[in-house]
Amino acid sequence: MLAEFDLIRRYFMSSQEASTASNGVTLGCGDDATLLIPPAGQQLAVSVDTSVVDVHFPREAPAFAVGHRALAVALSDLAAMGAASRWCLMALTLDQRQFADDEATHAWLADYARGFHTLSQQHATTLVGGDVTSGALSIGVTVMGEVPVGEAFTRSGAQVGDLIAVTGALGGGAGGLALWQQGERDLAHPLLSRYLLPQPRLAAGLALRGLATAALDISDGLLSDLAHLREASLVGAVIALDALPLADELESTLGREAALRAALSGGDDYELLVTLSANDLATAQQRLASLGLTLTVVGHCCEALGVSASDQSDLSGYAGWQHFSGDAP
Amino acid sequence: MLAEFDLIRRYFMSSQEASTASNGVTLGCGDDATLLIPPAGQQLAVSVDTSVVDVHFPREAPAFAVGHRALAVALSDLAAMGAASRWCLMALTLDQRQFADDEATHAWLADYARGFHTLSQQHATTLVGGDVTSGALSIGVTVMGEVPVGEAFTRSGAQVGDLIAVTGALGGGAGGLALWQQGERDLAHPLLSRYLLPQPRLAAGLALRGLATAALDISDGLLSDLAHLREASLVGAVIALDALPLADELESTLGREAALRAALSGGDDYELLVTLSANDLATAQQRLASLGLTLTVVGHCCEALGVSASDQSDLSGYAGWQHFSGDAP
């Protein structure tokens, strides 16, 4: 058993050592701690996210997706700050008894590491520390990024009159989960891909610097996350239901009502929810278009606290998101 | 269930907000990420450690000790670098079904948080981020500290002729575990205290700056951890068995042979193992004495690779440490 754990340690260490020289790392994994050169004149943005089997992802999810997803959801928090990602630490807890034999363990670990590394390399994020322990499958990822002093997005900067906009499309996380539960296993399916291989919007976060007045990432559903922003900014919100950008194939798969529900109160989308002045909208949309991403206005901030639909629809029936839960009581 | 999770979020947030202004934190828990002001002219030392129930600590361990211990073992890695601790992030995974009712959950969480915070305050370490999820009990702690450029201890700096020394006393972790398994539950017992409430040697690490040529913390047992140092530094080691500083009551509790085994190959001691020039020993001992701590020479580095006992005892029978494992196969 320990041999496998040593193996993944080496696997993770060797792949990160190649990139350390270029990313402010003076002493990589393998000592008691890693030494980093912090960015001059910038603030460090740090966050931690834990992904637990049967809670955040299904036990049978492909190992590649498990590795990708654990890092993606953590990076999404940096995106929501407008921070550039630099470093991460990964604490993997693994129950080797879930595998038939050492070969199965090895295959799982290699696939998991490939998912994690592929994404970390896409976002120039160096793995600078890790821990591998034995126990129920769970991955804790700490991410560290940088942002110029005073330029980070918070949740509290939205002003009355600001537009409310979202990157990309909504409802794909919930739609993908529904498909997974119906037995769909093809990761190339656009909805399943949205659920199991979410893309952290780091480039969008950088592009929106100086434009967004507040931001967060949509992990628990638009309405739930918007509530955090409303409360922090002391504003109300009006949402235009017919403006919601629905994920590809969502409506055709689930039908209109369930698709709307997925977009409003589904979770695991990991798109950015931002507020911005109407004057900055065109600039923001141009910048995101150059990244191949849309920015869709879905409402605006108003003085009256609370949230309502512009067409007077009743929003009270859209409950919050509970993630995947395979064996919840 | 969520109410309890919200509760601990608030508990942890409120207690850290009071100290944020003084420790480089510009935006605390509650946003997507926390913004930190990195130390100018210093390197950041970062590390992550996961503590898993039934692997690293017994399921019935007092919640106070679980919180203390999870942070302590992570801080110990900063101590081994000679770094000053600044910040930490805590990812708590908790299975509420292990508790009889909400009141029991609440009591456990309050006690756990008290253990964590008491230690974090002792070491001026601000909790700057966290995540609370549902699953098998496990705590991942990321620690961040600072150290002047070039002054961190590594494992690779030991020279032939250097003395090998340890802080405090050895064998207490293994002795305490043995007592726990025999039914002892009094945390005031010196051995049980060593096992469940280890003290990270951060002050000792700072005091040894400029003196230690290499360092690490003893988590897996003296011989195992010394092997890492020997391999990284390309030196051999000679150990004087009769010089080993045994934890209080260790020999009287376990007998001479088992006490020696606990000191050599027991784990969970979290003392520092350092190498230093004989010329610096008196200074190092004086500095540690002012902290109420001993520094005991237990051997020296030699040219011939491998490890041997100065009295020619056979060291080959002392196996490595496997931590606590309540239900290992």
Side-chain angles (χ1 to χ4, degrees), chain A residues 6-31:
Chain A
D6 284 347
L7 185 142
I8 190 166
R9 273 199 195 93
R10 279 199 299 273
Y11 184 90
F12 276 105
M13 283 169 62
S14 62
S15 72
Q16 65 91 29
E17 274 166 8
S19 61
T20 54
S22 61
N23 204 9
V25 184
T26 55
L27 182 68
C29 300
D31 215 294

Side-chain angles (χ1 to χ4, degrees), chain A residues 2 26-27 30-39 42-50 52 55-56 77-78 80-81 87 89-91 93 97 128-131 133-136 138 142 144 147 152-155 215-217 322 327 329, chain B residues 2 26-27 30-39 42-50 52 55-56 77-78 80-81 87 89-91 93 97 128-131 133-136 138 142 144 147 152-155 215-217 322 327 329:
Chain A
L2 278 174
T26 55
L27 182 68
D31 215 294
D32 296 283
T34 304
L35 296 175
L36 305 174
I37 301 168
Q42 306 228 4
Q43 288 178 308
L44 272 179
V46 298
S47 180
V48 64
D49 266 294
T50 308
V52 179
V55 177
H56 300 95
D77 286 318
L78 293 184
M81 301 297 286
W87 305 301
L89 301 95
M90 182 205 68
T93 304
R97 289 172 295 179
V128 296
D131 190 22
T133 52
S134 179
S138 165
T142 300
M144 304 170 66
V147 59
F153 309 138
T154 67
R155 299 176 170 190
L216 42 59
D217 66 321
Q322 296 296 326
D327 62 357
Chain B
L2 278 173
T26 56
L27 182 67
D31 216 295
D32 297 282
T34 303
L35 296 175
L36 305 175
I37 302 168
Q42 307 229 4
Q43 287 177 310
L44 272 178
V46 298
S47 180
V48 62
D49 265 294
T50 307
V52 180
V55 177
H56 300 96
D77 285 318
L78 293 184
M81 301 297 287
W87 304 301
L89 300 94
M90 181 204 69
T93 303
R97 288 172 295 181
V128 297
D131 191 22
T133 52
S134 180
S138 165
T142 301
M144 305 170 67
V147 59
F153 309 138
T154 67
R155 298 175 171 191
L216 43 60
D217 66 321
Q322 296 296 326
D327 61 357

Side-chain angles (χ1 to χ4, degrees), chain B residues 78-241:
Chain B
L78 293 184
M81 301 297 287
S85 176
R86 288 289 300 274
W87 304 301
C88 65
L89 300 94
M90 181 204 69
L92 170 64
T93 303
L94 185 68
D95 184 358
Q96 205 181 14
R97 288 172 295 181
Q98 75 179 84
F99 302 107
D101 53 28
D102 279 3
E103 197 176 339
T105 309
H106 176 78
W108 193 94
L109 287 173
D111 207 28
Y112 166 86
R114 196 165 52 84
F116 194 99
H117 277 309
T118 301
L119 188 68
S120 70
Q121 283 164 10
Q122 279 170 13
H123 295 287
T125 301
T126 305
L127 181 71
V128 297
D131 191 22
V132 181
T133 52
S134 180
L137 180 59
S138 165
I139 306 111
V141 177
T142 301
V143 289
M144 305 170 67
E146 59 190 36
V147 59
V149 176
E151 292 194 23
F153 309 138
T154 67
R155 298 175 171 191
S156 58
Q159 305 289 322
V160 171
D162 279 353
L163 300 177
I164 298 170
V166 297
T167 60
L170 300 177
L177 171 57
L179 275 182
W180 175 273
Q181 289 172 331
Q182 290 163 22
E184 177 63 57
R185 292 294 181 268
D186 181 8
L187 277 183
H189 190 292
L191 290 177
L192 211 55
S193 163
R194 290 295 307 240
Y195 172 52
L196 287 175
L197 299 171
Q199 299 299 323
R201 300 304 188 190
L202 286 158
L206 296 184
L208 291 170
R209 277 188 192 167
L211 302 176
T213 54
L216 43 60
D217 66 321
I218 303 176
S219 53
D220 297 330
L222 176 63
L223 289 181
S224 289
D225 290 309
L226 180 59
H228 299 311
L229 187 145
R230 288 190 289 108
E231 284 158 21
S233 295
L234 298 175
V235 297
V238 180
I239 298 295
L241 297 188

Side-chain angles (χ1 to χ4, degrees), chain A residues 142-216:
Chain A
T142 300
V143 288
M144 304 170 66
E146 59 190 34
V147 59
V149 177
E151 291 193 25
F153 309 138
T154 67
R155 299 176 170 190
S156 58
Q159 304 289 321
V160 171
D162 279 354
L163 300 177
I164 299 170
V166 297
T167 60
L170 299 177
L177 172 57
L179 276 183
W180 175 273
Q181 289 172 331
Q182 290 164 22
E184 176 63 57
R185 293 292 181 272
D186 180 8
L187 277 184
H189 190 292
L191 290 177
L192 211 56
S193 164
R194 291 293 308 238
Y195 171 53
L196 287 175
L197 298 172
Q199 298 299 323
R201 300 304 188 190
L202 286 157
L206 296 184
L208 293 170
R209 278 188 191 167
L211 301 177
T213 54
L216 42 59

Side-chain angles (χ1 to χ4, degrees), chain A:
Chain A
M1 172 154 162
L2 278 174
E4 290 295 332
F5 281 54
D6 284 347
L7 185 142
I8 190 166
R9 273 199 195 93
R10 279 199 299 273
Y11 184 90
F12 276 105
M13 283 169 62
S14 62
S15 72
Q16 65 91 29
E17 274 166 8
S19 61
T20 54
S22 61
N23 204 9
V25 184
T26 55
L27 182 68
C29 300
D31 215 294
D32 296 283
T34 304
L35 296 175
L36 305 174
I37 301 168
Q42 306 228 4
Q43 288 178 308
L44 272 179
V46 298
S47 180
V48 64
D49 266 294
T50 308
S51 296
V52 179
V53 69
D54 290 338
V55 177
H56 300 95
F57 60 89
R59 187 171 295 270
E60 298 77 21
F64 181 90
V66 174
H68 171 107
R69 200 176 184 287
L71 177 59
V73 302
L75 288 176
S76 182
D77 286 318
L78 293 184
M81 301 297 286
S85 176
R86 290 289 302 273
W87 305 301
C88 66
L89 301 95
M90 182 205 68
L92 170 65
T93 304
L94 186 68
D95 184 358
Q96 205 179 13
R97 289 172 295 179
Q98 74 178 83
F99 302 106
D101 52 29
D102 278 3
E103 197 177 338
T105 308
H106 176 77
W108 193 94
L109 286 173
D111 207 27
Y112 167 87
R114 197 165 51 85
F116 194 99
H117 277 308
T118 301
L119 188 68
S120 70
Q121 281 163 12
Q122 279 169 15
H123 295 287
T125 302
T126 306
L127 181 71
V128 296
D131 190 22
V132 181
T133 52
S134 179
L137 180 59
S138 165
I139 306 111
V141 178
T142 300
V143 288
M144 304 170 66
E146 59 190 34
V147 59
V149 177
E151 291 193 25
F153 309 138
T154 67
R155 299 176 170 190
S156 58
Q159 304 289 321
V160 171
D162 279 354
L163 300 177
I164 299 170
V166 297
T167 60
L170 299 177
L177 172 57
L179 276 183
W180 175 273
Q181 289 172 331
Q182 290 164 22
E184 176 63 57
R185 293 292 181 272
D186 180 8
L187 277 184
H189 190 292
L191 290 177
L192 211 56
S193 164
R194 291 293 308 238
Y195 171 53
L196 287 175
L197 298 172
Q199 298 299 323
R201 300 304 188 190
L202 286 157
L206 296 184
L208 293 170
R209 278 188 191 167
L211 301 177
T213 54
L216 42 59
D217 66 321
I218 303 178
S219 53
D220 298 330
L222 175 62
L223 289 181
S224 290
D225 290 309
L226 180 59
H228 299 312
L229 187 146
R230 289 190 290 107
E231 285 159 20
S233 294
L234 297 173
V235 297
V238 179
I239 298 295
L241 297 188
D242 54 5
L244 294 176
L246 301 181
D248 286 348
E249 301 199 21
L250 185 66
E251 199 168 345
S252 62
T253 303
L254 298 184
R256 174 71 186 171
E257 179 57 26
L260 208 57
R261 182 179 299 276
L264 280 171
S265 59
D268 290 335
D269 278 335
Y270 301 102
E271 296 290 354
L272 296 186
L273 170 66
V274 302
T275 56
L276 74 174
S277 160
N279 295 331
D280 292 325
L281 179 63
T283 307
Q285 286 177 326
Q286 277 166 12
R287 290 190 193 170
L288 262 59
S290 72
L291 301 170
L293 204 58
T294 55
L295 182 71
T296 307
V297 174
V298 299
H300 66 274
C301 299
C302 62
E303 201 154 352
L305 300 183
V307 62
S308 60
S310 56
D311 64 0
Q312 314 300 324
S313 297
D314 180 12
L315 295 177
S316 62
Y318 297 99
W321 179 241
Q322 296 296 326
H323 295 285
F324 175 85
S325 188
D327 62 357

Side-chain angles (χ1 to χ4, degrees), chain B residues 47-70:
Chain B
S47 180
V48 62
D49 265 294
T50 307
S51 296
V52 180
V53 69
D54 291 338
V55 177
H56 300 96
F57 60 89
R59 189 170 292 269
E60 298 77 21
F64 181 91
V66 174
H68 171 107
R69 199 174 183 291

